[in-house]
Structure formats: C-alpha cells, structure tokens
Amino acid sequence: MTVTALDEVVTTPAPQRVRRRTRTGTRLVRAAYTIGAFALVAVIWELVKVLVPADGVSIAGTRVLPRTGDGALPHVWAVVTVLGEADGTGTVGTTLLRTGTFTLGLSLLALLLGTIVGVVLAVAMQRFGWLERGLLPYVVLSQTVPLIALAPLVAGWGGRLAIGGQPWQPWMSIVVIAAYLAFFPVAIGMLRGLQSPPAASVELMRSCSAGWWATLTRLRFPAAVPSLMPALRLAAAAAVIGAVVAEISTGTAGGIGRQIIVFSQQATGDAARLYAAVLAAALLGVVLTGLVALVELALRRYSHPPGTGASTGR
C-alpha cells in the first residue's frame, strides 16, 4: 500500500469508507442487473424462435402466439449483423445513429420543456390550494387524450405561428408533443414532494420569519428531490415515446420514428432492419434516463426524504 493510500485510509472516517464501498457495490449490482436483463431478453427471444412454430399458434382461428419465421421474428444475431449492411451512402448502423441522435436531441428538449412546465404547475398548485383543487383534475385528464390525435392538431396550430419572426419548424411540433407527455409525471411528483415536509418543519421556518420564497427554496425544494427524481425518469421515457410517435404521426423526416416506417416498408422478407430500428429507439430511452441519473447523482445529498434521520452531508 502506498503512502498516499495509507494516509487516505487513516484520515477517512470508517463510516464514510463503508458508504463508499456500499455505493460502489450498488452500482456494480445495478450494472449486472442491466446486462442480465438484456441477456435474458435475448435468451427468451431465441427460445421463442425454437419452440413456437414458424406460422405461430392459433386456437379456433384466433392466433394466440405470433409467427416466428425470419420475416416476422429474425434471430438476435441477424438484428446485430444487419447494422453493417449498406443503406444509401452508409450502413444501417450509421443511419440509425444519425436518426437516433436527431430524436435524442428533440427528446432532451422536450424533457427540459416538460420539466419546466411541470415544476411551475406544481409550485403554483402547492402555493394556492384552490388552484390545485381546480387544476389537478384537468392535469390528470390531459393524459387521456390520444397522442396520435393530438399530433396533427399541434402541427396545424404551430404552422400558423412565428417565433421571433421565424416560421414554426416541424421539429418544434415534435418537442411540444413530447413535452405534453413529459410534464405530467414531473408535475405530480414535484407536487407530492413540495407537500412532503412535516408541519413542524414549516412552522419552524415561519418562526424564523422565513417567507414563502425562503421556505420554498430552503425547505420544500430539497424535500421534493426524492419524489422528483423518479418522476424525471418516467418523464425521460415518456419524452422519447412522445418524440417517436410525433415523428410518425406528423411525417417529420430525420428522426428514428420516420426511419422505423421506412424500414417497416422494406421488411417484406427480412424484418431485421425494423427490429434494429425499434431496439435503437428503445435505447434512446435508456440513454436519456442515464442522463437523468447523472442529475440524481449530483443531487444525492438530498436523496433521503425528510424525517428519515439520514445524513444529507455538507
């Protein structure tokens, strides 16, 4: 052991070293679960190919298990190897990378917009009880509107708008539609978090002559972090789903949603390209959720709900 490492062991408190080892072990376990989940999906995929007949299984004329031929369900390795096939001036892999990056950027903008709208609504509903009673049912009701029906309306309304003298761009409609899905979990999670501080803590802030803004920033916002982080993960997945569906519904080119349509039209004899595009779209949700995890890591000092007695660090 080097002198520097020995000094670190001597000077670092034992509980802190234990917490570091625990966090490292937790991250390794999470990584192992993620890899294991992908491996399990691949194994089940191939088992279905082996056990289910190529024409599927039908009972009384109703198909209960899908077809498993290569035209409907390609092998896992076929989906991987198709990434190297030629597609235009590049390969299928480069096409998916380009379109996936485009959709990821729109999803990130939608997540930011949805987060801002959700946080503002949550703060307003927490501040005014009458606003929560009147607005919250409509916030919940908004998620019952089919996204595929909303997309053409947003695109049509946006075509009549101009921002800063610049005409409305098609990608702006995608961001608005995806943000429409993303704001809901943020608003609900943030509202729950803002209302989580115990009454005794709120009274203590008032006894110290703290106004509403000071109570909000010093008590309610930190207390809302444990509820906000899971909501942001849900919002990240919703933003990707909304962006892909909006690209398909509005016919906007350049994103992976439109690329799924293109590959589905080519999947007459081999669906490997289509499955590769669908899996790439799913990975976008994993990437965006990973970015949220980085934010959660930066806010880990507020990761314990109030009243648990856990130390938040300094």
Side-chain angles (χ1 to χ4, degrees), residues 3-26:
V3 176
T4 303
L6 181 60
D7 290 341
E8 183 179 356
V9 171
V10 173
T11 57
T12 304
Q16 186 175 354
R17 293 199 301 270
V18 172
R19 286 196 297 268
R20 287 179 181 176
R21 288 195 296 268
T22 302
R23 287 196 296 265
T24 302
T26 302

Side-chain angles (χ1 to χ4, degrees), residues 154-180:
V154 174
W157 294 336
R160 299 183 177 89
L161 299 177
I163 300 178
Q166 299 297 322
W168 185 268
Q169 300 297 322
W171 62 266
M172 296 180 182
S173 299
I174 297 175
V175 171
V176 171
I177 294 168
Y180 172 80

Side-chain angles (χ1 to χ4, degrees), residues 34-95:
T34 302
I35 297 173
F38 279 107
L40 181 61
V41 170
V43 170
I44 294 176
W45 188 320
E46 290 301 321
L47 285 177
V48 171
K49 288 279 293 180
V50 172
L51 300 178
V52 179
D55 292 333
V57 176
S58 299
I59 299 178
T62 302
R63 180 173 285 107
V64 294
L65 291 178
R67 295 185 178 94
T68 58
D70 291 341
L73 186 67
H75 288 283
V76 174
W77 54 83
V79 177
V80 175
T81 56
V82 79
L83 298 176
E85 292 184 2
D87 182 64
T89 58
T91 62
V92 174
T94 57
T95 298

Side-chain angles (χ1 to χ4, degrees), residues 11-269:
T11 57
T12 304
Q16 186 175 354
R17 293 199 301 270
V18 172
R19 286 196 297 268
R20 287 179 181 176
R21 288 195 296 268
T22 302
R23 287 196 296 265
T24 302
T26 302
R27 293 168 187 168
L28 292 176
V29 170
R30 289 179 179 176
Y33 274 131
T34 302
I35 297 173
F38 279 107
L40 181 61
V41 170
V43 170
I44 294 176
W45 188 320
E46 290 301 321
L47 285 177
V48 171
K49 288 279 293 180
V50 172
L51 300 178
V52 179
D55 292 333
V57 176
S58 299
I59 299 178
T62 302
R63 180 173 285 107
V64 294
L65 291 178
R67 295 185 178 94
T68 58
D70 291 341
L73 186 67
H75 288 283
V76 174
W77 54 83
V79 177
V80 175
T81 56
V82 79
L83 298 176
E85 292 184 2
D87 182 64
T89 58
T91 62
V92 174
T94 57
T95 298
L96 293 179
L97 181 61
R98 183 185 71 254
T99 55
T101 302
F102 179 81
T103 303
L104 180 62
L106 297 184
S107 302
L108 182 58
L109 290 176
L111 178 60
L112 293 176
L113 178 59
T115 300
I116 293 173
V117 173
V119 170
V120 170
L121 285 176
V123 171
M125 288 188 291
Q126 186 280 320
R127 180 67 177 88
F128 304 104
W130 58 268
L131 185 61
E132 178 186 355
R133 293 189 296 271
L135 186 60
L136 187 57
Y138 292 100
V139 171
V140 176
L141 186 64
S142 68
Q143 300 304 296
T144 64
V145 179
L147 196 62
I148 196 171
L150 183 65
L153 294 178
V154 174
W157 294 336
R160 299 183 177 89
L161 299 177
I163 300 178
Q166 299 297 322
W168 185 268
Q169 300 297 322
W171 62 266
M172 296 180 182
S173 299
I174 297 175
V175 171
V176 171
I177 294 168
Y180 172 80
L181 285 184
F183 93 95
F184 175 73
V186 176
I188 299 302
M190 190 67 178
L191 177 61
R192 178 184 178 185
L194 292 175
Q195 295 174 340
S196 64
S201 299
V202 178
E203 291 298 328
L204 179 61
M205 294 293 292
R206 291 175 180 173
S207 66
C208 296
S209 301
W212 172 79
W213 180 254
T215 303
L216 178 68
T217 56
R218 296 179 180 274
L219 176 62
R220 295 192 185 276
F221 273 163
V225 170
S227 299
L228 178 62
M229 289 298 104
L232 282 179
R233 289 195 290 269
L234 293 175
V240 173
I241 294 172
V244 173
V245 173
E247 289 173 355
I248 295 174
S249 302
T250 61
T252 303
I256 201 167
R258 185 62 181 174
Q259 198 61 42
I260 290 176
I261 298 298
V262 172
F263 283 162
S264 67
Q265 296 171 349
Q266 301 173 356
T268 54

